[in-house]
């Protein structure tokens, strides 16, 4: 395993430069196999969980859902606030920012981005709640792809670009998650659910974040400042895959909606419009099922 790890590091260093030594010794960051193993365990649970629950009654999880979603709302707000303030006071350049030019801001951003990386592990619980509540139709390819890849990609980010230009995608995604998880947490409370008005904007907000992240990444290629070009290509390529999948989801969900679904939505149905039933009533037996995307 150590030989594989060394070969992987050597190949990556020839493409995107040497690893950043400032994060050595940080939890889960020294070696890649633990992150990979956690992802494999996640995928095994995704595969085996529905089989285990097949002949069992679904769990409500309402209290846990409120605690979990609102907890992630607070964590996301913390990360967004800390990143924005560090970037602002550290004088970061929006167009291109290398990772060794603002020591105090860099250190603060590295610490926040570690929490961002770790939050991707916490967010595996999104899928586990679907399994426990037998909302298996919510476990789409996009849902699993997004959760499985984000943890792994951010392991590499933290080892090669733990600050500098990497701040933007994490900051804007944290803001989106404030909006998203606050809705999901509040929607788990039946008395509040009818008053939640912003669910229809979540998917649109997600697609806007991909577009803005793409633009900001391309700026570093147009006005270079030392960020490895290979790293920029990797980020652009991954963002393109998310844009394609989310556009397909948006088209399938909103553009092909039947007239009855449109009427149901206009009447304030509690059905998730962003593909997330995490906290809303199970629609296991409805005719048209939406998939959670985040």
């Amino acid at each position: 395993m150590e030989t594989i790890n060394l070969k992987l590091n050597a190949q990556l260093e020839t493409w995107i430069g040497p690893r950043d030594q400032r994060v050595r010794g940080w939890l889960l960051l020294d070696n890649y196999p633990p992150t990979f193993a956690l992802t494999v365990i996640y995928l095994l649970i995704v595969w085996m969980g529905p089989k285990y629950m097949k002949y069992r009654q679904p769990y409500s999880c309402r209290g846990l859902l409120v605690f979990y979603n609102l907890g992630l709302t607070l964590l996301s707000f913390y990360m967004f606030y800390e990143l924005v303030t560090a970037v602002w006071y550290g004088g970061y350049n929006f167009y291109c920012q290398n990772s060794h030019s603002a020591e105090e801001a860099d250190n603060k951003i590295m610490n926040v981005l570690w929490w961002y990386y770790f939050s991707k592990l916490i967010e595996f619980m999104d899928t586990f709640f679907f399994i426990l509540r037998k909302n298996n139709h919510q476990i789409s390819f996009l849902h699993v792809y997004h959760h499985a890849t984000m943890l792994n990609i951010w392991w590499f980010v933290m080892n090669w670009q733990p600050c500098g230009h990497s701040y933007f995608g994490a900051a804007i995604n944290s803001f989106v998650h404030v909006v998203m998880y606050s809705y999901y947490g509040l929607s788990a409370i039946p008395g509040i659910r009818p008053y939640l008005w912003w669910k229809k904007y979540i998917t649109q907000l997600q697609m806007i974040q991909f577009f803005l992240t793409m633009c900001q990444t391309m700026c570093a290629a147009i006005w270079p400042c030392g960020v490895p070009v290979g790293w920029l290509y990797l980020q652009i390529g991954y963002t393109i895959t998310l844009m394609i999948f989310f556009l397909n989801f948006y088209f399938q969900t909103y553009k092909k909606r039947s007239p009855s679904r449109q009427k149901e939505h206009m009447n304030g149905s509690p059905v998730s419009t962003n593909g997330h039933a995490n906290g809303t009533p199970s629609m296991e037996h409805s005719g048209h099922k939406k998939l959670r995307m985040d």
Side-chain angles (χ1 to χ4, degrees):
M1 187 66 71
E2 184 65 26
T3 301
I4 295 175
N5 197 50
L6 291 172
K7 288 182 178 179
L8 176 64
N9 289 338
Q11 290 177 348
L12 287 170
E13 287 180 7
T14 61
W15 188 44
I16 56 178
R19 290 177 66 170
D20 198 308
Q21 299 301 309
R22 292 173 293 181
V23 298
R24 291 300 298 270
W26 291 26
L27 182 63
L28 295 175
L29 294 186
D30 277 356
N31 298 297
Y32 177 59
T35 296
F36 180 76
L38 288 167
T39 306
V40 172
I41 293 171
Y42 167 75
L43 294 174
L44 286 173
I45 293 175
V46 170
W47 175 53
M48 297 177 63
K51 299 179 186 296
Y52 174 79
M53 290 295 299
K54 185 174 182 180
Y55 299 108
R56 290 172 170 81
Q57 291 296 315
Y59 295 92
S60 171
C61 303
R62 179 172 294 168
L64 281 174
L65 284 168
V66 174
F67 176 79
Y68 169 76
N69 285 301
L70 296 185
L72 275 178
T73 300
L74 293 175
L75 177 59
S76 298
F77 179 80
Y78 161 77
M79 294 186 292
F80 172 72
Y81 175 81
E82 290 294 315
L83 287 171
V84 170
T85 54
V87 165
W88 180 264
Y89 292 111
Y92 264 38
N93 189 317
F94 172 81
Y95 298 103
C96 187
Q97 179 69 39
N98 64 50
S99 57
H100 290 85
S101 59
E103 183 176 355
E104 185 176 350
D106 289 348
N107 290 334
K108 185 175 183 179
I109 287 172
M110 282 189 291
N111 281 280
V112 178
L113 289 186
W114 180 87
W115 277 105
Y116 183 78
Y117 155 75
F118 190 73
S119 73
K120 302 307 156 190
L121 178 61
I122 298 173
E123 289 169 14
F124 282 176
M125 289 300 299
D126 292 358
T127 315
F128 301 158
F129 280 123
F130 289 154
I131 294 171
L132 290 173
R133 301 175 74 235
K134 299 185 75 170
N135 286 345
N136 297 333
H137 58 275
Q138 301 286 347
I139 308 173
S140 65
F141 172 79
L142 173 52
H143 175 88
V144 176
Y145 169 78
H146 181 61
H147 279 279
T149 55
M150 283 293 284
L151 179 69
N152 289 267
I153 284 176
W154 274 91
W155 184 89
F156 290 102
V157 174
M158 289 305 301
N159 274 279
W160 272 268
Q161 293 291 315
C163 55
H165 210 65
S166 303
Y167 81 90
F168 185 81
I172 194 170
N173 185 246
S174 295
F175 173 76
V176 171
H177 278 194
V178 170
V179 178
M180 187 179 74
Y181 282 110
S182 63
Y183 169 74
Y184 301 146
L186 293 171
S187 68
I189 305 173
I192 296 178
R193 193 179 303 134
Y195 303 100
L196 302 178
W197 53 267
W198 66 92
K199 63 181 179 179
K200 64 181 180 180
Y201 300 111
I202 297 176
T203 303
Q204 296 174 14
L205 192 60
Q206 288 167 323
M207 291 192 293
I208 291 172
Q209 78 166 320
F210 298 137
F211 176 76
L212 293 177
T213 301
M214 175 80 72
C215 291
Q216 196 256 359
T217 304
M218 293 177 66
C219 284
I222 299 172
W223 296 284
C225 64
V227 179
V229 175
W231 185 258
L232 299 176
Y233 289 159
L234 177 64
Q235 184 171 349
I236 290 172
Y238 179 65
T239 306
I240 287 174
T241 65
L242 292 178
M243 290 180 69
I244 291 172
F245 289 138
F246 270 83
L247 281 170
N248 178 67
F249 164 75
Y250 187 81
F251 178 79
Q252 296 294 331
T253 303
Y254 296 98
K255 301 304 181 181
K256 289 188 175 182
R257 178 183 292 166
S258 66
S260 61
R261 280 295 289 185
Q262 291 180 353
K263 183 177 180 180
E264 182 182 9
H265 171 68
M266 292 174 64
N267 288 337
S269 168
V271 178
S272 167
T273 62
N274 191 43
H276 190 329
N278 195 359
T280 58
S282 172
M283 301 303 296
E284 191 90 30
H285 304 294
S286 64
H288 181 83
K289 304 180 182 68
K290 289 186 173 57
L291 306 175
R292 171 185 175 168
M293 308 302 154
D294 45 10

